[in-house]
């Protein structure tokens, strides 16, 4: 077998594998730094999300406690105190889940106190927030309708009573009966009579 001969120049040349390995390690080192930075950014972002989430959960708990105290005040007959507590809740925790319900309760309390303009304002804000619960939405529409009825704003009263559509709602009969009363007030007895005939004596559940 013939021997492989190398020249002096070839013997001094670096091994190709070593050249490749050296180049690869150098490239990996550069990319490794970029990867570390990228992972660091992701980790910081996730930690920020977790922190924000825990902070919001803590705020929700505080808001729930404030709402509970406001309901206690209401049940004790301290309606003005309840209103003040609900207002504080809205100001301190506007993003809390219970904040929207606070608006609803403020509207209902104001109606009971005869503050019809305030009742309308709070309940319209509540509706603007897009409540998903049909019962709360229908309740708000009825009380806005009643408040406008008390203020003799007949067109607005008709508008909100008409929003309660569908006899499965527990507020349906009340809304229809008051709607017929509005038409009596506006001199439209035919419409009033038609609504009375179409309205069931009690809600269908």
């Amino acid at each position: 077998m013939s021997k492989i001969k190398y020249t002096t120049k070839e013997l001094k040349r670096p091994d190709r594998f070593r050249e490749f390995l050296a180049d690869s390690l150098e490239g990996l080192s550069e990319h490794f730094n970029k990867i570390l930075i990228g992972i660091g950014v992701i980790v910081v972002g996730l930690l920020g999300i977790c922190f924000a989430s825990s902070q919001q959960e803590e705020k929700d708990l505080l808001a729930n406690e404030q709402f509970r105290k406001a309901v206690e005040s209401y049940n004790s007959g301290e309606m003005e105190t309840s209103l003040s507590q609900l207002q504080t809740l809205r100001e301190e925790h506007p993003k809390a889940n219970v904040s929207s319900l606070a608006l609803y309760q403020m509207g209902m309390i104001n109606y009971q106190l005869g503050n019809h303009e305030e009742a309308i304002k709070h309940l319209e804000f509540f509706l603007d927030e897009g409540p998903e619960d049909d019962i709360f939405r229908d309740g708000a529409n009825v009380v806005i309708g009643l408040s406008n009825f008390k203020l003799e704003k007949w067109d607005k009263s008709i508008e909100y009573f008409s929003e309660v559509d569908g006899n499965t709602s527990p507020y349906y009969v009340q809304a229809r009966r008051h709607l017929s009363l509005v038409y009596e007030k506006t001199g439209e007895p035919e419409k009033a009579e038609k609504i009375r005939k179409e309205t069931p004596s009690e809600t269908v559940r």
Side-chain angles (χ1 to χ4, degrees), residues 17-80:
F17 176 74
R18 291 180 181 176
E19 282 184 342
F20 172 77
L21 186 59
D23 291 342
S24 298
L25 288 173
E26 186 179 348
L28 181 60
S29 177
E30 292 177 2
H31 290 301
F32 187 68
N33 289 334
K34 293 178 181 178
I35 292 169
L36 278 180
I37 293 171
I39 292 173
V41 170
I42 293 170
V43 169
V44 170
L46 289 173
L47 287 174
I49 292 170
C50 291
F51 179 75
S53 177
S54 64
Q55 289 286 94
Q56 187 58 51
E57 285 180 9
E58 186 177 341
K59 289 179 181 178
D60 283 342
L61 288 173
L62 289 172
N64 290 343
E65 178 62 18
Q66 284 179 295
F67 187 79
R68 186 188 65 79
K69 289 180 179 178
V71 171
E72 281 184 357
S73 297
Y74 174 79
N75 290 336
S76 299
E78 301 171 3
M79 289 193 283
E80 292 289 356

Side-chain angles (χ1 to χ4, degrees), residues 62-167:
L62 289 172
N64 290 343
E65 178 62 18
Q66 284 179 295
F67 187 79
R68 186 188 65 79
K69 289 180 179 178
V71 171
E72 281 184 357
S73 297
Y74 174 79
N75 290 336
S76 299
E78 301 171 3
M79 289 193 283
E80 292 289 356
T81 300
S82 183
L83 271 178
S84 177
Q85 290 169 325
L86 291 167
Q87 183 61 42
T88 300
L89 189 162
R90 286 285 301 174
E91 291 170 357
E92 294 181 355
H93 307 288
K95 294 182 180 179
N97 294 329
V98 78
S99 181
S100 181
L101 195 56
L103 270 178
Y104 180 86
Q105 189 70 5
M106 289 167 77
M108 294 299 174
I109 293 173
N110 273 298
Y111 177 77
Q112 287 181 276
L113 293 172
N115 303 328
H116 302 302
E117 294 284 3
E118 285 295 305
I120 291 168
K121 181 181 74 174
H122 287 105
L123 290 172
E124 284 183 340
F125 282 150
F126 170 75
L127 291 175
D128 286 344
E129 293 190 358
E132 295 181 3
D133 192 294
D134 291 341
I135 293 177
F136 282 114
R137 187 168 57 249
D138 287 346
N141 279 313
V142 165
V143 174
I144 294 174
L146 289 170
S147 296
N148 280 298
F149 185 90
K150 297 283 187 180
L151 296 170
E152 298 186 357
K153 295 181 178 180
W154 310 124
D155 289 342
K156 281 289 184 182
S157 193
I158 289 170
E159 177 187 342
Y160 283 97
F161 286 140
S162 298
E163 285 293 321
V164 184
D165 188 22
N167 60 9

Side-chain angles (χ1 to χ4, degrees), residues 172-184:
Y172 179 72
V173 170
Q174 185 181 8
R176 300 300 289 177
R177 286 176 177 171
H178 278 88
L179 187 59
S180 70
L181 288 175
V182 175
Y183 283 124
E184 289 282 1

